[in-house]
Amino acid sequence: MATILVVDDELGIRALLSEILSDEGHTIELAENATQARAVRERMRPDLVLLDIWMPDVDGVTLLKEWGGAGLLTMPVIMMSGHGTIDTAVEATKFGAIAFLEKPITLQKLLRAVEQALVKTAPPRPAPAAPGLSGYVRPEPGVLPAAPVHAASLTSHLPAGNSNVLASEQSFELDRPLREARDAFEKSYFEFHLAKENGSMTRVAEKTGLERTHLYRKLKQLGVDLSRNKRGAGG
């Protein structure tokens, strides 16, 4: 996944964006002003920068111009502002920004802008290996392995080789109160999809037909451990 630098002088904004993007599997670097942003940019090359316009020391557009003039604008930059105008957005775009997000930033707009920015800059994917060379054939999208059903238990199989900590087989005791049985099944259901989608809450929401906020509440209610489904920084 990507390494994303979030530059904003508001602690709450930094924390919120960090939490959301970390849940998507990205590695997040934080900076509260232009000085810290320069230091992070010098230390590493982020895949994407979310840059606030109004900051106390140097504003975001000035920093954007600085990076562009020094040949350091090697990554896509998305500008953010709660007081932006059309003129501000046009100016930022003119100096190299690829998108402009107006605060308060909605979840959908944030994830869409980040995804589009990363797709534009992503290197071409290598051709998939021929089936049988690695000893494992990935199941077709949306096709789950068949599961045998028994009178006293329900067993569901997960794709072999999955690295996201789910066991390859799970059993459900049906001789129990309906609510408990349903909760156990739902927990396993969501854990399966989190593993299958490498921890992407966006894709799990799409697959399961739940609005993302409701999905978060549901997972918390069921006691699903989200941290173990997060993708690694290099994954």
Side-chain angles (χ1 to χ4, degrees):
M1 293 307 294
T3 297
I4 300 176
L5 169 59
V6 176
V7 187
D8 198 298
D9 62 315
E10 295 183 53
L11 175 60
I13 297 294
R14 294 197 306 274
L16 178 61
L17 295 183
S18 177
E19 180 181 355
I20 292 173
L21 296 173
S22 293
D23 279 341
E24 291 301 306
H26 302 295
T27 299
I28 309 302
E29 295 284 336
L30 300 176
E32 62 180 87
N33 52 45
T35 301
Q36 292 183 6
R38 291 189 192 103
V40 173
R41 175 62 186 79
E42 183 177 352
R43 187 177 79 247
M44 60 184 297
R45 178 181 171 179
D47 300 302
L48 172 66
V49 176
L50 295 174
L51 179 58
D52 187 30
I53 289 182
W54 303 109
M55 296 187 294
D57 56 347
V58 175
D59 67 85
V61 174
T62 299
L63 181 59
L64 184 69
K65 294 179 186 177
E66 177 187 312
W67 279 343
L72 297 176
L73 205 55
T74 56
M75 64 289 179
V77 176
I78 298 174
M79 305 301 293
M80 308 180 293
S81 176
H83 311 283
T85 64
I86 296 297
D87 292 338
T88 306
V90 171
E91 182 184 17
T93 303
K94 182 172 67 175
F95 288 107
I98 67 168
F100 180 89
L101 292 174
E102 185 177 4
K103 298 178 182 177
I105 302 171
T106 66
L107 187 66
Q108 291 79 6
K109 286 184 179 180
L110 171 66
L111 296 179
R112 187 181 307 119
V114 168
E115 181 179 3
Q116 290 175 349
L118 294 175
V119 167
K120 288 179 182 178
T121 57
R125 292 186 177 182
L133 293 181
S134 64
Y136 168 66
V137 178
R138 177 180 290 276
E140 296 180 11
V143 179
L144 303 185
V149 179
H150 305 285
S153 66
L154 177 65
T155 302
S156 63
H157 296 271
L158 301 177
N162 193 297
S163 61
N164 285 288
V165 306
L166 282 183
S168 61
E169 183 174 290
Q170 298 181 32
S171 297
F172 305 95
E173 293 298 328
L174 302 183
D175 187 18
R176 59 197 301 185
L178 174 61
R179 179 165 183 170
E180 291 181 13
R182 182 182 61 206
D183 286 351
F185 171 77
E186 288 186 347
K187 182 177 181 181
S188 179
Y189 171 82
F190 287 115
E191 286 178 339
F192 174 88
H193 281 288
L194 282 165
K196 189 167 184 283
E197 300 301 334
N198 292 324
S200 171
M201 295 292 289
T202 302
R203 289 197 292 270
V204 171
E206 292 173 354
K207 282 289 184 70
T208 59
L210 292 178
E211 194 276 327
R212 188 185 170 106
T213 303
H214 178 64
L215 176 60
Y216 269 116
R217 289 198 298 265
K218 187 69 174 176
L219 296 179
K220 185 175 181 180
Q221 172 193 337
L222 293 171
V224 175
D225 182 5
L226 295 177
S227 62
R228 71 179 190 176
N229 291 296
K230 292 181 181 178
R231 289 163 287 188

